[in-house]
Amino acid sequence: MIGILALQGNYQMHSQMLDKLNEKNILIKNSSDLDGCDGLIIPGGESTVMSKMMHKYDLFDSIKKFGKEKGVFGTCAGLILMSNYDSENIIGLDLLNISVSRNAWGSQINSFTNKINIDIDNKIKNFEATFIRAPRIKRTDKIDRSMRILAYFKDEPIMIQHGLHIATTFHPEMHNDTLIHEYFLNIINENK
Ligand code: GLN
Protein backbone atom coordinates (compact mmCIF):
# COMPACT_ATOMS: atom_id res chain seq x y z
CA MET A 1 0.00 0.00 0.00
CA ILE A 2 1.24 3.47 -0.91
CA GLY A 3 0.52 6.61 1.11
CA ILE A 4 -0.04 9.95 -0.60
CA LEU A 5 0.53 13.07 1.47
CA ALA A 6 -2.80 14.85 1.26
CA LEU A 7 -2.35 18.15 3.06
CA GLN A 8 -2.51 20.31 -0.06
CA GLY A 9 -1.77 20.07 -3.77
CA ASN A 10 -2.28 17.51 -6.49
CA TYR A 11 -2.65 14.38 -4.36
CA GLN A 12 -5.91 13.21 -5.94
CA MET A 13 -4.33 12.65 -9.36
CA HIS A 14 -1.59 10.50 -7.82
CA SER A 15 -4.30 8.41 -6.24
CA GLN A 16 -5.91 7.97 -9.67
CA MET A 17 -2.58 6.85 -11.15
CA LEU A 18 -2.16 4.23 -8.43
CA ASP A 19 -5.78 3.10 -8.88
CA LYS A 20 -5.00 2.59 -12.55
CA LEU A 21 -2.10 0.37 -11.54
CA ASN A 22 -4.35 -1.51 -9.09
CA GLU A 23 -2.17 -0.40 -6.20
CA LYS A 24 -3.92 0.15 -2.87
CA ASN A 25 -3.37 3.71 -1.70
CA ILE A 26 -4.31 5.89 1.22
CA LEU A 27 -4.41 9.67 1.64
CA ILE A 28 -2.12 10.69 4.49
CA LYS A 29 -3.34 13.42 6.80
CA ASN A 30 -1.96 12.18 10.13
CA SER A 31 1.15 10.25 11.06
CA SER A 32 -0.84 7.16 12.05
CA ASP A 33 -2.04 6.96 8.43
CA LEU A 34 1.51 5.94 7.52
CA ASP A 35 1.18 2.66 9.41
CA GLY A 36 1.12 -0.17 6.93
CA CYS A 37 2.41 1.92 4.01
CA ASP A 38 5.26 0.56 1.93
CA GLY A 39 6.03 3.87 0.22
CA LEU A 40 4.95 7.50 0.19
CA ILE A 41 4.22 10.06 -2.53
CA ILE A 42 4.63 13.76 -1.78
CA PRO A 43 2.71 15.63 -4.48
CA GLY A 44 3.23 18.97 -6.15
CA GLY A 45 1.47 21.99 -4.76
CA GLU A 46 2.81 24.79 -2.65
CA SER A 47 5.83 23.75 -0.61
CA THR A 48 5.53 26.60 1.92
CA VAL A 49 1.98 25.55 2.79
CA MET A 50 2.82 21.86 2.90
CA SER A 51 5.87 22.50 5.06
CA LYS A 52 3.79 24.47 7.55
CA MET A 53 1.07 21.83 7.62
CA MET A 54 3.54 18.97 8.05
CA HIS A 55 4.65 20.61 11.27
CA LYS A 56 1.13 21.51 12.37
CA TYR A 57 -0.06 17.92 11.96
CA ASP A 58 3.09 16.37 13.42
CA LEU A 59 3.99 14.73 10.15
CA PHE A 60 7.49 16.13 9.68
CA ASP A 61 9.33 13.76 12.03
CA SER A 62 7.26 10.74 11.10
CA ILE A 63 7.85 11.23 7.37
CA LYS A 64 11.55 11.77 7.98
CA LYS A 65 11.67 8.52 9.93
CA PHE A 66 9.56 6.72 7.30
CA GLY A 67 12.00 7.88 4.61
CA LYS A 68 14.94 6.32 6.42
CA GLU A 69 13.45 2.87 5.82
CA LYS A 70 11.05 3.19 2.93
CA GLY A 71 10.82 4.81 -0.48
CA VAL A 72 9.50 8.32 -0.98
CA PHE A 73 8.53 9.77 -4.38
CA GLY A 74 8.37 13.57 -4.52
CA THR A 75 7.07 15.62 -7.41
CA CYS A 76 7.76 19.35 -7.84
CA ALA A 77 6.92 20.86 -4.42
CA GLY A 78 7.40 17.28 -3.15
CA LEU A 79 10.98 17.34 -4.45
CA ILE A 80 11.56 20.66 -2.68
CA LEU A 81 10.31 19.11 0.57
CA MET A 82 12.61 16.09 0.14
CA SER A 83 15.68 18.32 -0.34
CA ASN A 84 17.92 19.99 2.21
CA TYR A 85 16.00 23.29 1.88
CA ASP A 86 16.26 25.34 5.02
CA SER A 87 14.53 28.71 5.20
CA GLU A 88 12.06 30.52 7.36
CA ASN A 89 9.14 29.09 5.38
CA ILE A 90 10.35 25.68 4.32
CA ILE A 91 12.37 23.08 6.14
CA GLY A 92 13.28 20.17 3.90
CA LEU A 93 13.09 16.57 5.10
CA ASP A 94 16.68 16.10 3.91
CA LEU A 95 15.88 12.75 2.31
CA LEU A 96 17.84 13.81 -0.77
CA ASN A 97 21.17 15.53 -0.55
CA ILE A 98 20.31 18.27 -3.05
CA SER A 99 19.82 22.00 -2.97
CA VAL A 100 17.05 23.48 -5.05
CA SER A 101 15.91 26.89 -6.28
CA ARG A 102 12.19 27.33 -6.30
CA ASN A 103 10.16 28.75 -9.22
CA ALA A 104 13.37 28.72 -11.20
CA TRP A 105 12.33 28.31 -14.83
CA GLY A 106 11.66 31.99 -15.47
CA SER A 107 8.70 34.10 -14.62
CA GLN A 108 6.92 34.26 -17.97
CA ILE A 109 7.11 30.52 -18.57
CA ASN A 110 5.27 29.53 -15.46
CA SER A 111 4.04 26.32 -16.92
CA PHE A 112 5.01 24.24 -19.94
CA THR A 113 4.96 20.69 -21.24
CA ASN A 114 7.85 19.03 -22.99
CA LYS A 115 8.70 15.60 -24.30
CA ILE A 116 11.59 14.19 -22.31
CA ASN A 117 13.65 11.00 -22.31
CA ILE A 118 13.87 8.94 -19.16
CA ASP A 119 16.59 6.41 -18.60
CA ILE A 120 14.95 3.59 -16.68
CA ASP A 121 15.48 -0.15 -16.60
CA ASN A 122 18.33 0.27 -19.10
CA LYS A 123 16.00 1.72 -21.70
CA ILE A 124 15.29 5.23 -22.82
CA LYS A 125 11.59 5.94 -22.57
CA ASN A 126 9.65 8.96 -23.77
CA PHE A 127 7.51 10.88 -21.38
CA GLU A 128 5.43 14.03 -21.49
CA ALA A 129 6.57 16.22 -18.63
CA THR A 130 4.60 19.18 -17.35
CA PHE A 131 6.49 21.81 -15.39
CA ILE A 132 4.42 24.11 -13.20
CA ARG A 133 6.47 26.80 -11.46
CA ALA A 134 9.06 24.07 -11.26
CA PRO A 135 12.18 24.07 -9.11
CA ARG A 136 15.73 23.58 -10.35
CA ILE A 137 18.20 21.21 -8.78
CA LYS A 138 21.30 23.25 -7.97
CA ARG A 139 25.00 22.43 -8.05
CA THR A 140 24.67 19.48 -10.40
CA ASP A 141 28.44 19.00 -10.52
CA LYS A 142 28.42 18.29 -6.83
CA ILE A 143 25.54 15.86 -6.87
CA ASP A 144 26.24 12.89 -4.69
CA ARG A 145 27.71 10.05 -6.76
CA SER A 146 25.20 7.60 -5.33
CA MET A 147 22.47 9.73 -6.85
CA ARG A 148 21.32 8.66 -10.29
CA ILE A 149 20.02 11.19 -12.77
CA LEU A 150 17.26 9.57 -14.81
CA ALA A 151 16.25 12.53 -16.95
CA TYR A 152 17.55 15.90 -18.09
CA PHE A 153 15.89 18.93 -19.59
CA LYS A 154 18.17 21.55 -21.16
CA ASP A 155 21.16 19.78 -19.60
CA GLU A 156 19.72 20.07 -16.11
CA PRO A 157 18.66 17.10 -14.00
CA ILE A 158 14.89 16.87 -13.65
CA MET A 159 14.47 13.35 -12.34
CA ILE A 160 16.74 11.70 -9.78
CA GLN A 161 16.94 8.54 -7.77
CA HIS A 162 18.75 7.89 -4.54
CA GLY A 163 18.26 4.40 -3.17
CA LEU A 164 14.55 3.88 -2.69
CA HIS A 165 13.71 7.54 -3.30
CA ILE A 166 12.83 9.19 -6.58
CA ALA A 167 11.96 12.79 -7.30
CA THR A 168 10.93 14.84 -10.33
CA THR A 169 10.90 18.60 -10.78
CA PHE A 170 7.89 18.12 -13.09
CA HIS A 171 4.41 16.66 -12.58
CA PRO A 172 4.30 13.02 -13.75
CA GLU A 173 0.63 12.50 -12.86
CA MET A 174 -0.91 14.76 -15.52
CA HIS A 175 -1.05 12.80 -18.76
CA ASN A 176 -2.40 9.36 -17.95
CA ASP A 177 1.06 7.83 -18.40
CA THR A 178 1.81 5.58 -15.43
CA LEU A 179 5.46 4.95 -16.39
CA ILE A 180 7.05 6.75 -13.44
CA HIS A 181 4.51 5.56 -10.88
CA GLU A 182 5.08 2.02 -12.07
CA TYR A 183 8.83 2.50 -11.74
CA PHE A 184 8.36 3.68 -8.15
CA LEU A 185 6.17 0.66 -7.35
CA ASN A 186 8.85 -1.66 -8.75
CA ILE A 187 11.46 -0.10 -6.47
CA ILE A 188 9.14 -0.52 -3.48
CA ASN A 189 8.18 -4.10 -4.33
CA GLU A 190 11.77 -5.17 -4.87
CA ASN A 191 12.62 -3.95 -1.39
CA LYS A 192 9.72 -5.39 0.56
N1 GLN B 1 6.49 26.63 -6.93
C1 GLN B 1 5.97 25.66 -6.02
C2 GLN B 1 6.71 25.68 -4.70
O1 GLN B 1 7.74 26.27 -4.60
C3 GLN B 1 6.02 24.27 -6.60
C4 GLN B 1 5.07 24.16 -7.75
C5 GLN B 1 4.52 22.81 -7.97
O2 GLN B 1 4.59 21.92 -7.13
N2 GLN B 1 3.92 22.65 -9.09
O3 GLN B 1 6.25 25.11 -3.78
Side-chain angles (χ1 to χ4, degrees), residues 43-48 75-78 80 90 102-103 132-135 171:
E46 179 52 48
S47 51
T48 51
T75 68
C76 202
I80 298 169
I90 303 168
R102 296 175 57 219
N103 306 321
I132 304 170
R133 293 185 302 119
H171 282 255

